[in-house]
Amino acid sequence: MPLTRKEISLLAHSPLFQGVEEEILLHLAELEGASLVRFDAGVVYSPRHFRRSLGVVLSGQLQVTKGSLAVSTLEAGDLFGAAALYSDEPEFASTITAKGPSRCLMLEQALVDRLLAEQGRIRENYLCYLTGRIRFLSGRLQALAQPGVEGKLARYLMAGGGSSCPATELCQRLGVSRASLYRAFAALEDSGLIRRTGKTITVLDPVGLETAL
């Protein structure tokens, strides 16, 4: 089944294909090295189920974990597989699990190489994407290195962590218990550094919040 109009529109707004001519996207799935894959719930990508391909989520949700730590949730338009695309050590690949039926566009390494060589806009987009991932992962490592829960939470908020993240997922991201997370929220709020209104978190004192890092 070829790409639908909705999926082509989705690709046009994805990190890799923003600004790319629609004619290229129309025939993307027909190129050698491209495939449309449907995943049921369960592991779809891991060090043991390794494929050197770049994936684009077209529908459904995928959970990314590293070891026992949930790193992020991938939704329509998100990319995965970039970290291991050119790696000779698949054990460094994250585990990606489909939360339910999902459809993805898979681009093999040789095709990615060709697109990067021939399409300047795709090459620029990919470099921007990788730069963003490096910043995100650096922030995650720094957050996990903080000695206290308040420091981890403060760094997450200063890095632009959204208030829409469910408490359970935030606990997994920071590697803390739910009780510890709630105490850290209360401590930062009592100190006048943040304000919580429902699910909305407002940073009241960015300079003060940095002292909790």
Side-chain angles (χ1 to χ4, degrees):
M1 180 179 178
L3 289 166
T4 66
R5 293 299 308 182
K6 180 178 179 181
E7 289 172 341
I8 292 172
S9 177
L10 178 69
L11 288 175
H13 293 86
S14 69
L16 188 59
F17 298 108
Q18 288 182 10
V20 175
E21 295 179 9
E22 183 175 333
E23 185 66 21
I24 295 175
L25 301 181
L26 284 172
H27 302 287
L28 186 60
E30 302 168 11
L31 298 177
E32 182 179 357
S35 58
L36 292 169
V37 182
R38 180 179 174 83
F39 297 111
D40 294 321
V43 175
V44 301
Y45 190 94
S46 73
R48 292 187 177 183
H49 299 83
F50 181 79
R51 57 189 303 174
R52 194 167 276 104
S53 298
L54 186 65
V56 185
V57 182
L58 299 177
S59 65
Q61 285 189 331
L62 306 180
Q63 179 72 56
V64 182
T65 58
K66 192 70 174 177
S68 60
L69 180 65
V71 178
S72 61
T73 298
L74 302 177
E75 299 182 339
D78 289 334
L79 307 181
F80 64 93
L85 189 62
Y86 297 100
S87 174
D88 291 326
E89 301 180 67
E91 63 268 20
F92 288 108
S94 298
T95 296
I96 301 178
T97 306
K99 293 186 174 182
S102 305
R103 181 169 147 103
C104 300
L105 173 64
M106 305 300 297
L107 307 174
E108 295 179 3
Q109 179 186 331
L111 176 56
V112 174
D113 287 343
R114 196 177 113 201
L115 291 173
L116 293 178
E118 297 177 354
Q119 302 294 329
R121 189 55 187 266
I122 294 178
R123 182 167 61 250
E124 180 181 335
N125 288 345
Y126 193 54
L127 290 174
C128 289
Y129 170 77
L130 291 179
T131 300
R133 291 299 300 166
I134 290 172
R135 289 175 178 170
F136 169 78
L137 293 173
S138 295
R140 290 278 295 124
L141 291 173
Q142 289 176 338
L144 293 173
Q146 295 306 309
V149 180
E150 291 175 31
K152 293 181 180 181
L153 178 58
R155 184 171 293 280
Y156 173 81
L157 295 175
M158 288 298 294
S163 59
S164 60
C165 182
T168 299
E169 183 175 337
L170 182 53
C171 288
Q172 292 176 328
R173 289 187 180 187
L174 300 182
V176 302
S177 68
R178 184 182 289 263
S180 296
L181 178 65
Y182 288 156
R183 284 195 295 269
F185 266 124
L188 295 180
E189 192 168 23
D190 291 343
S191 299
L193 302 178
I194 66 171
R195 179 177 64 238
R196 290 184 294 169
T197 306
K199 293 185 178 181
T200 301
I201 302 171
T202 304
V203 176
L204 301 177
D205 184 358
V207 175
L209 193 60
E210 288 184 355
T211 64
L213 300 181

